[in-house]
């Protein structure tokens, strides 16, 4: 790390130096990421920058630095609009409660996957659920089940919608199906216990 500090001291700074420092130094992470962003904004993003920008976008999302994740995801998208990045952008907009923008991105990824990715279908469902369109939410979860009948997350998500709309019987059924697939699925176990109380 001292090598990178020296580069900064002698003015040989670039976005990568600050990004590396952000990964290595969690205490000063936000400062380093903001500095890296300033430099990146003034640089033309090229296809070769995709790996670096997408890595920092995903890391920033995991670190809950959502504004930084959004900018880096957009840099990565400009470099190469992959399904992973489009999906990440959808997740960031979902987190920011812009469900229409998130839906648009998730639908784009869904079309790219020809409707065969259960996790993207779950993301679409989650947007509809947040928009109080539970029928549409369940419809997309059912599509996810058509793709993967043994997906514990899908049954769990269906159970949550039924629980929220007061259909206790169907909620219990789906939580139990989720637990049949993975008996150690903590969230499903907790949801089942809480609805049975």
């Amino acid at each position: 790390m001292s090598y990178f500090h020296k580069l900064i001291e002698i003015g040989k700074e670039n976005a990568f130096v600050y990004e590396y420092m952000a990964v290595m130094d969690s205490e000063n992470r936000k400062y380093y990421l903001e500095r890296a962003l300033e430099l990146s904004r003034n640089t033309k993003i090229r296809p070769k920058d995709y790996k670096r920008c997408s890595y920092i976008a995903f890391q920033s999302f995991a670190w809950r630095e959502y504004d930084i994740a959004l900018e880096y995801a957009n840099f990565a998208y400009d470099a190469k609009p992959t399904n992973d990045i489009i999906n990440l952008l959808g997740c960031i907009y979902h987190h920011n409660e812009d469900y229409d923008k998130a839906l648009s991105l998730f639908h784009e990824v869904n079309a790219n996957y020809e409707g065969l990715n259960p996790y993207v279908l779950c993301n679409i469902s989650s947007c509809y659920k947040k928009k109080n369109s539970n029928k549409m939410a369940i419809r997309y979860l059912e599509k996810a089940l058509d793709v993967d009948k043994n997906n514990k997350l899908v049954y769990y998500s269906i159970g949550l919608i039924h629980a929220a709309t007061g259909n206790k019987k169907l909620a219990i059924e789906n939580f139990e199906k989720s637990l049949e697939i993975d008996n150690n699925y903590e969230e499903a176990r907790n949801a089942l216990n809480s609805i049975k109380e």
Side-chain angles (χ1 to χ4, degrees):
M1 205 148 99
S2 58
Y3 170 73
F4 286 91
H5 277 297
K6 276 184 189 145
L7 285 176
I8 292 168
E9 281 168 24
I10 61 170
K12 298 243 183 216
E13 59 185 9
N14 60 36
F16 173 75
V17 169
Y18 285 109
E19 289 158 5
Y20 178 84
M21 298 294 283
V23 171
M24 301 307 289
D25 181 356
S26 59
E27 279 183 35
N28 299 300
R29 177 170 288 147
K30 189 156 186 172
Y31 166 76
Y32 289 129
L33 285 171
E34 285 171 348
R35 201 63 199 96
L37 264 179
E38 281 172 41
L39 294 168
S40 294
R41 285 184 196 121
N42 299 319
T43 311
K44 182 170 168 42
I45 301 296
R46 303 170 195 282
K48 69 181 177 71
D49 296 314
Y50 171 81
K51 223 177 220 179
R52 177 181 65 80
C53 291
S54 64
Y55 176 78
I56 296 296
F58 279 101
Q59 283 301 120
S60 298
F61 188 75
W63 293 327
R64 298 189 169 138
E65 296 289 352
Y66 299 108
D67 292 342
I68 290 167
L70 180 61
E71 279 204 65
Y72 267 99
N74 277 312
F75 292 151
Y77 182 90
D78 291 343
K80 197 192 310 178
T82 64
N83 289 332
D84 286 347
I85 281 299
I86 299 167
N87 191 62
L88 177 62
L89 279 165
C91 290
I92 297 167
Y93 282 110
H94 184 283
H95 173 270
N96 292 344
E97 299 179 8
D98 187 343
Y99 303 117
D100 291 328
K101 181 73 176 160
L103 260 177
S104 156
L105 290 156
F106 290 142
H107 277 302
E108 181 181 346
V109 181
N110 190 44
N112 293 346
Y113 280 121
E114 297 178 354
L116 297 175
N117 186 313
Y119 296 102
V120 174
L121 292 164
C122 284
N123 287 342
I124 292 171
S125 169
S126 179
C127 289
Y128 282 120
K129 183 179 173 211
K130 292 288 189 182
K131 287 164 62 76
N132 293 316
S133 184
N134 290 316
K135 277 186 184 161
M136 285 296 281
I138 286 180
R139 194 167 128 206
Y140 276 92
L141 289 170
E142 285 168 348
K143 287 181 182 194
L145 281 181
D146 289 340
V147 175
D148 182 3
K149 286 265 184 263
N150 289 313
N151 192 311
K152 65 182 183 181
L153 174 65
V154 177
Y155 287 110
Y156 171 68
S157 300
I158 292 172
L160 287 178
I161 294 171
H162 286 307
T165 56
N167 194 331
K168 198 171 166 178
K169 182 177 177 282
L170 280 175
I172 289 169
E173 258 176 48
N174 281 280
F175 293 144
E176 285 174 345
K177 279 181 186 167
S178 185
L179 286 163
E180 280 170 30
I181 295 164
D182 179 359
N183 196 37
N184 297 316
Y185 191 11
E186 214 45 43
E187 289 92 338
R189 172 114 16 246
N190 293 340
L192 182 62
N193 290 341
S194 119
I195 206 165
K196 281 183 166 176
E197 279 172 6

